[in-house]
Structures are given as structure tokens and as C-alpha cells.
Amino acid sequence: MKYDVAVVGTGPAGLKTAEQAAARGLKTVVLEKRAKVTDSLMGELVTDKALRLLRVRPDSEYVGNKFSAIVGASLDTGASIAVDRRLLGNSYLLDEDRCQELMYERAVADGAEFRFGARVDSVTKDNGQVTGVTYNRGADSVKASLTVGADGSFSRVSETAGFTHPKWLLSYGIRFKLANCKNIDPETAYFYVGRDVGLGYLWLYPRSETEVNLGIGRVPTTGSEWHSLPPMREVLLKYMRTHEETRDAKIVGANGGVVPCAGLIPRFTDAGVALCGNSAGQVSSIVGGGVTTCLHAGSLLAQHAQRMVEQDDFSRRSVYKYEKEYRGSKLAWNIQNTGRGMWAVSRYSMLNDPLEAAEIVLRELDAATLNEIVQGHISVATVMRLFTDFLPMVFKIGRGYLKSLAVVGP
Ligand SMILES: Cc1cc2nc3c(=O)[nH]c(=O)nc-3n(C[C@H](O)[C@H](O)[C@H](O)COP(=O)(O)OP(=O)(O)OC[C@H]3O[C@@H](n4cnc5c(N)ncnc54)[C@H](O)[C@@H]3O)c2cc1C
């Protein structure tokens, strides 16, 4: 049997593509190497846009918690800054398992077929056109008009279809789910910087008064600095030991992953094949946020898949229309800019101390300004003030930014 769409991977990108493709009446098959759709790291902290894309309400069972304040702090000096609700857009903690089940069940109800325990080895090609994939060491295969590589940062579809990402900055992260915590304020989420953390941040997102998600994400800088840092797991365990709230906590879940943070890869479509999610670099780089961008990309790709089926056209030019529309979106623009910013930060940190910069920001930036930066609608007046207040730092980062533009290209 030949499918319209074969999706590889059941992260947020693959599930959304499958859910929307099936809803549009396309014959859809999904291949996933894991045994089930739940118990993976989908990504948890999101804003209203992700809930709209998921089509869930803020007060539904798919949302584990809602935060009214976000605090940034230094683990070394205790310097901190808080952004409260009056300034902050809504921030939610997803119930990842329920959200994944929801997309899976919607897709199944609309006729999508899921094959778990299916580890894709390679795409198959006919005259340069991708025609499907083989999986489980060649024991099985599927044929499809469009193959979707939603198989994460180390995508087999991407590699075997011949896509390249010449220089790709990666962020490595792990996360513990903790129970049995004490005196947790469930309405406040915390971000920490510190010597042990390296270039990245440690986060604490409460799920309730006794449960939190404690995680850390880190980007390699120089090899020697990376190896001199304590392992990320140790940093989380140290945090637990040294904080009263988590000292007696139990680790009830642990997982991790890798997130690209250098922006979109140069090309993510070709004849009969398209990438979606981490595999295409569709992640907001500075914070490593991929849920919203993956859901958005999956929806768009399904729309285009329907067009391709209706026109019976899976040529390179036809599939590229998805990429073209994606690249023109506001989210893609953000991804590209934060990707360039991330190159700048990583270059800056090879020559300077990024933690010193973080400490300056924590001590001297006010909550309103931080909120403007986080929300992405910073005013000209604020930019001018920041420029004067942080002139030496801005100058150094600016140099790094220009260099990174040269590395990334236009
Ligand atoms: C520790 C951590 C915390 C994060 N927190 C957040 C957050 O709070 N908010 C946010 O927005 N983002 C967060 N992110 C980022 C977000 O999780 C990712 O960007 C997002 O999950 C990417 O989705 P994806 O569908 O592209 O890929 P993935 O989620 O990586 O899914 C890929 C899927 O493909 C499967 N697969 C891989 N190879 C094969 C193969 N060969 N054959 C078959 N199946 C295969 C995998 O098993 C997996 O299920 C976090 C990431 C990490 C690592």
C-alpha cells in the first residue's frame, strides 16, 4: 500500500503533522522507534500560542500549571530579578503525556496508522525522488508520496535524504521530575545561571506545592571549558541537596535531549521529502523552545501535503512551497534572529565570561525591560537606554554578532 504521507517521529512536530494530515483526509502512517507515544520529553513551558495550536484551553487537563511570576537568579551570588504577571504574557506548564496522547488519539480517530518500535534506517529513492523509508535494519519498509522527517536533532531522514547543516550549535539538556518537595510556591517559575551551569540555564518549574520539574540546558563553548564543568546530572543533584525545598525530594522521572539552537538549516525540503521540527532547526534558539515552533511547522506542512496530494505534485519545487511559506513566517524570522544571537553569545563566551555578563544583567536590568526583551517587543527608547547602560558589553556582543553573521551567512 502506498501512503500519501509517512511521518517519522512522534515528538510534537511529527504528532502535529500526523494529526493535521489525517484530519485533512490524507492516508497517513507514522513510524516511531519508541514503544509508545508517552513518557518522552516533548517540552513543557509554553505561552498561549502553543495552547491555540494544540487546541486546548488553559483550564483543561492538558495544562499542568500556570505561572504568575518568573524569577531569574544567580546560583552563585543570589542576585535576582522577578517579572510579575502584570508584565508577563501567560506562561503554562504542559502535561506532556496528555498532550501527546491527545494528538495521537485525534490522528488515530481520523484514520492515521501508527507503528511503534519502528526504527527508520534510511529513506528510499527513485530517480532522485524520495519514495518512503526502510526500517528495523531493512526488515520493513513503507512507500509514501511525501516522507516527513520529524525524527529530531539527529534525523536519519535528514541524513539519508542528503540535507546538510554545516555548522550547527546544539544545546544539551536533562530534566528530573521531582515529587515530595516542600514549601514550593506553585505560581513562580525560576531560571538560574551559575558557574556550574555553564553557558545555559537551570530551571525549576513547579507542577504543584510538592512537585517540580528541575532541568538544565547547556551549550558547549570551548572544549576545555565544557569538560571542566560538572556533569549536568551532578548540577541538578547539587541543587537538590543545597535547597531546603528539594532536599528530601524523590526523582520520579528523568529524561533528556538535544536541541539545535543555530536557526534553520540551509534547506529542509526536496522531491518527496520535508523536514519538520528539531530536524529542520525549527527551534527558538536563545531559550531552546521548540514546542510552539514544531506545532506551527507541523500544521503548515500538513496544509501543504494536502495541496500536493490534490495536485499530485511532490516535485522539489512543489515541496519547497512549504519551506518558502515557513521561512516567511514570523516564527521563522524569530528563529533566524535568535539563532544568529546564539552564535553571537557562543562566540562572545569563547573570548569573555558569559556569567559575568549574566550577573551584570541580573543586578542592573529592571523587570519591565527584561519582560520587553523576553516578549520580543522592545521599544526604541529601551534599546537606546540599554545601549548606554551596557555599552561595553553590547560592544563585545556586537562584535561577536557580526562575526557570527559571517559564519551563518545571509
Ligand atoms: C531538557 C529539555 C527541555 C525542554 N524544554 C522545553 C520547554 O520547556 N519548552 C519548549 O518549547 N521546548 C522545550 N524543549 C525543546 C523541545 O522539547 C524540542 O524542540 C521538541 O521536542 C522537538 O520536537 P521534534 O518533534 O522535532 O523532535 P523530538 O521531540 O526529538 O521527537 C523526535 C521523535 O523521533 C523519534 N525518532 C528519532 N529517530 C528515529 C528513527 N530513526 N526512527 C523512528 N523514530 C525516530 C524519537 O524517538 C522521537 O520520538 C526542551 C528540550 C529539552 C532537551
Side-chain angles (χ1 to χ4, degrees):
M1 170 171 177
K2 186 172 176 188
Y3 294 89
D4 293 324
V5 184
V7 179
V8 183
T10 61
L15 283 172
K16 194 66 187 175
T17 310
E19 177 207 276
Q20 291 296 303
R24 289 168 182 277
L26 308 185
K27 271 185 280 164
T28 306
V29 63
V30 186
L31 304 166
E32 167 58 57
K33 68 180 180 186
R34 292 183 293 109
K36 56 179 178 171
V37 77
T38 50
D39 294 340
S40 71
L41 201 159
M42 167 176 160
E44 49 195 1
L45 192 76
V46 297
T47 57
D48 287 297
K49 188 166 173 90
L51 301 198
R52 282 198 296 276
L53 287 161
L54 280 164
R55 291 184 287 132
V56 301
R57 287 196 323 273
D59 58 356
S60 65
E61 75 256 43
Y62 306 103
V63 177
N65 199 7
K66 181 174 175 178
F67 300 115
S68 59
I70 290 203
V71 173
S74 162
L75 285 171
D76 304 323
T77 61
S80 72
I81 181 170
V83 183
D84 74 24
R85 178 167 215 147
R86 280 160 299 164
L87 298 166
L88 191 71
N90 292 319
S91 302
Y92 306 97
L93 191 71
L94 292 178
D95 185 318
E96 293 159 284
D97 280 356
R98 285 199 168 134
C99 289
Q100 285 173 307
E101 265 166 358
L102 176 72
M103 288 187 278
Y104 165 73
E105 280 162 12
R106 282 176 181 160
V108 169
D110 284 326
E113 185 186 324
F114 280 75
R115 301 187 191 170
F116 290 100
R119 181 183 290 270
V120 166
D121 324 300
S122 172
V123 297
T124 49
K125 284 188 181 179
D126 187 8
N127 272 333
Q129 172 114 5
V130 171
T131 54
V133 293
T134 61
Y135 61 98
N136 293 347
R137 295 170 189 259
D140 270 306
S141 63
V142 294
K143 291 276 172 224
S145 302
L146 180 70
T147 298
V148 174
D151 47 344
S153 302
F154 303 114
S155 165
R156 289 296 299 157
V157 173
S158 173
E159 194 180 333
T160 57
F163 294 114
T164 50
H165 30 89
K167 281 185 185 290
W168 206 1
L169 208 59
L170 295 169
S171 160
Y172 296 76
I174 61 168
R175 180 194 63 191
F176 290 166
K177 288 200 169 187
L178 303 182
N180 208 28
C181 306
K182 274 192 246 145
N183 301 327
I184 298 288
D185 167 9
E187 295 208 355
T188 304
Y190 289 85
F191 291 89
Y192 294 96
V193 294
R195 302 262 147 223
D196 286 349
V197 176
L199 185 60
Y201 59 90
L202 180 148
W203 65 88
L204 182 139
Y205 304 150
R207 304 200 303 280
S208 69
E209 281 170 11
T210 56
E211 298 164 305
V212 304
N213 292 353
L214 184 71
I216 176 171
R218 185 189 268 175
V219 177
T221 48
T222 58
S224 57
E225 200 231 297
W226 176 260
H227 292 297
S228 70
L229 290 168
M232 290 192 290
R233 193 184 149 79
E234 292 305 319
V235 182
L236 294 185
L237 292 172
K238 181 173 170 192
Y239 180 96
M240 287 172 66
R241 277 197 310 275
T242 52
H243 288 77
E244 185 58 35
E245 297 84 355
T246 51
R247 191 163 295 146
D248 301 321
K250 279 200 180 67
I251 302 173
V252 293
N255 43 23
V258 174
V259 178
C261 49
L264 302 173
I265 68 172
R267 177 92 191 208
F268 51 88
T269 53
D270 206 340
V273 63
L275 304 181
C276 187
N278 275 8
S279 58
Q282 292 165 338
V283 177
S284 179
S285 316
I286 296 277
V287 288
V291 175
T292 308
T293 49
C294 286
L295 297 175
H296 164 247
S299 298
L300 186 67
L301 179 51
Q303 267 175 46
H304 279 271
Q306 184 181 20
R307 170 191 51 79
M308 291 175 221
V309 170
E310 282 166 3
Q311 298 172 347
D312 192 22
D313 185 357
F314 301 88
S315 63
R316 181 179 159 92
R317 183 187 283 221
S318 174
V319 186
Y320 178 70
K321 286 183 182 167
Y322 147 67
E323 177 166 345
K324 189 169 177 209
E325 186 173 346
Y326 186 84
R327 284 187 187 274
S329 69
K330 198 168 167 223
L331 275 180
W333 187 84
N334 270 335
I335 290 170
Q336 292 297 64
N337 274 321
T338 53
R340 289 191 177 117
M342 203 56 217
W343 274 108
V345 171
S346 115
R347 304 225 130 214
Y348 172 84
S349 66
M350 286 180 190
L351 307 166
N352 304 282
D353 184 352
L355 295 173
E356 192 189 356
E359 290 282 352
I360 296 173
V361 169
L362 285 173
R363 277 199 312 272
E364 293 178 23
L365 207 65
D366 61 273
T369 310
L370 181 66
N371 182 60
E372 278 186 46
I373 295 170
V374 172
Q375 302 289 321
H377 33 67
I378 186 159
S379 66
V380 176
T382 308
V383 172
M384 295 307 290
R385 188 174 56 72
L386 281 178
F387 196 74
T388 347
D389 288 358
F390 299 107
L391 198 55
M393 201 169 90
V394 170
F395 181 64
K396 282 180 186 166
I397 293 187
R399 270 206 325 235
Y401 184 70
L402 289 176
K403 277 190 196 162
S404 71
L405 282 182
V407 174
V408 177

